[in-house]
Amino acid sequence: MATLNPGDEVIIPAPYWVSYPDIVLLAGATPVPVEARMKDGFKLKPEALEKAITRNTKWLIFNSPSNPTGAAYSHDELKAITDVLMRHPHVWVLSDDMYEHLVYDDFKFFSPAQIEPGLYERTLTLNGVSKAYCMTGWRIGYAGGPEHLIKAMATLQSQSTTNPNAAAQWASVEALTGPQDFIPKHNKVFKERRDLCVSMINQAKGLRTPTPEGAFYVYPSCEGAIGRTARSGKKIETDQDFVTALLDEEGVAVVHWERVRAWSGISHLVRRCNAGPGRGLQSHPALLRELEIGSPRAE
């Protein structure tokens, strides 16, 4: 809201966190979703970014590791993206690094300005304590960027919200500056849950998912379940039908992300969160049966 005007465009790799387009709309600008395909590990390809940039493009919203897919960009993958951005000096980068510490399999996290110092003066980096520090209810986030941008943001926010409470601020300081040894321990548990969930989903008929590099989500396709018939007798025609049948018949909750489909046109994808143990992850055979919702489609 501190930088956008009507007519400005903001590129958002899709799938994305559902609030991104609405934030852009609230500022009077136009969200431009660009599909990051499952076959590419849900990562934006540099040629797709290049094609989406126009003279009206103001920002790229970049989220790695991603919510909802868990996809994270390697050094070389991110370098290809920053190379495109360096050819378009009017485009700023909003780097949402909320899941920075939640990566697995020796994956090394990188942020855009870290890869390309030339982007430093047009990058806004966002982070917070909600995920890595398990402080979702404290509602503390922070941003780093060029001084003039931060001042503009502070001017706007000071007239729209009050400050977070002092206890939450000091707790966040302790989280950020205190011992960090618990993060690898948590990540080991998250990795075990991720591996189990990915394995079970890819064994279930009609479902498939890539293995995410970070965060604590998997984002499978239920395309193979479309056309099947649930035990209730209802035909599964959409991803919403699938998640409703899974909840009603098996008690397993996933999210079908209607807002992503509405803006980007991407369908048949759902999100499963592995942050909590959940009864489904306690029994491999039970969850596998639950995921195989419905009878085969009629030929």
Side-chain angles (χ1 to χ4, degrees):
M1 293 183 72
T3 63
L4 293 173
N5 295 299
D8 290 339
E9 297 174 352
V10 178
I11 294 174
I12 308 173
Y16 45 73
W17 171 241
V18 293
S19 297
Y20 289 157
D22 290 328
I23 293 169
V24 174
L25 289 170
L26 184 63
T30 303
V32 180
V34 179
E35 182 178 3
R37 299 171 297 183
M38 175 180 275
K39 71 176 186 178
D40 297 321
F42 292 121
K43 299 175 190 179
L44 179 66
K45 301 297 286 184
E47 54 269 25
L49 173 60
E50 184 81 61
K51 184 177 180 180
I53 293 175
T54 72
R55 64 181 183 180
N56 295 322
T57 304
K58 193 69 168 282
W59 287 91
L60 164 68
I61 296 180
F62 184 79
N63 180 211
S64 171
S66 163
N67 180 2
T69 68
Y73 292 69
S74 68
H75 179 283
D76 291 345
E77 289 168 337
L78 187 49
K79 181 64 166 62
I81 295 296
T82 61
D83 285 349
V84 174
L85 294 169
M86 288 300 292
R87 295 195 289 270
H88 300 276
H90 65 292
V91 179
W92 285 59
V93 187
L94 189 159
S95 184
D96 184 346
D97 295 358
M98 182 62 73
Y99 297 91
E100 169 187 2
H101 297 296
L102 298 176
V103 293
Y104 315 112
D105 303 319
D106 298 319
F107 182 90
K108 189 172 182 180
F109 170 84
F110 293 97
S111 197
Q114 183 182 5
I115 295 290
E116 176 49 72
L119 291 174
Y120 190 82
E121 291 301 324
R122 51 185 169 113
T123 297
L124 177 68
T125 301
L126 305 183
N127 214 316
V129 298
S130 294
K131 308 304 180 182
Y133 299 98
C134 309
M135 295 173 63
T136 52
W138 297 79
R139 314 313 298 164
I140 295 291
Y142 51 91
E147 184 177 358
H148 67 279
L149 175 58
I150 298 298
K151 284 183 176 179
M153 293 166 57
T155 298
L156 177 65
Q157 183 153 351
S158 66
Q159 303 302 318
S160 58
T161 64
T162 55
N163 292 322
N165 66 78
Q169 292 187 62
W170 279 113
S172 299
V173 170
E174 289 298 314
L176 293 168
T177 61
Q180 307 290 301
D181 55 338
F182 66 93
I183 294 179
K185 296 175 183 177
H186 287 189
N187 284 1
K188 182 176 183 294
V189 176
F190 288 144
K191 179 185 182 302
E192 291 170 353
R193 294 174 185 166
R194 179 206 65 175
D195 291 345
L196 181 58
C197 200
V198 167
S199 173
M200 289 187 289
I201 288 173
N202 284 329
Q203 291 178 62
K205 296 174 183 177
L207 301 181
R208 58 190 174 91
T209 185
T211 301
E213 293 87 356
F216 35 59
Y217 313 107
V218 291
Y219 201 63
S221 168
C222 62
E223 186 175 7
I226 304 302
R228 292 173 174 260
T229 301
R231 282 194 287 275
S232 65
K234 179 178 173 59
K235 187 176 182 180
I236 299 173
E237 297 180 335
T238 67
D239 46 353
Q240 183 171 359
D241 292 339
F242 174 80
V243 301
T244 300
L246 196 59
L247 180 62
D248 289 347
E249 299 183 11
E250 307 297 347
V252 175
V254 296
V255 183
H256 67 93
W257 293 72
E258 171 68 25
R259 292 291 290 162
V260 173
R261 181 172 60 201
W263 276 107
S264 68
I266 299 173
S267 60
H268 307 328
L269 294 166
V270 298
R271 189 189 77 164
R272 171 69 164 88
C273 178
N274 306 316
R279 71 171 183 87
L281 291 178
Q282 295 169 7
S283 172
H284 186 144
L287 181 57
L288 187 56
R289 288 194 300 271
E290 291 166 356
L291 289 171
E292 293 176 347
I293 192 82
S295 58
R297 59 174 64 84
E299 299 296 338

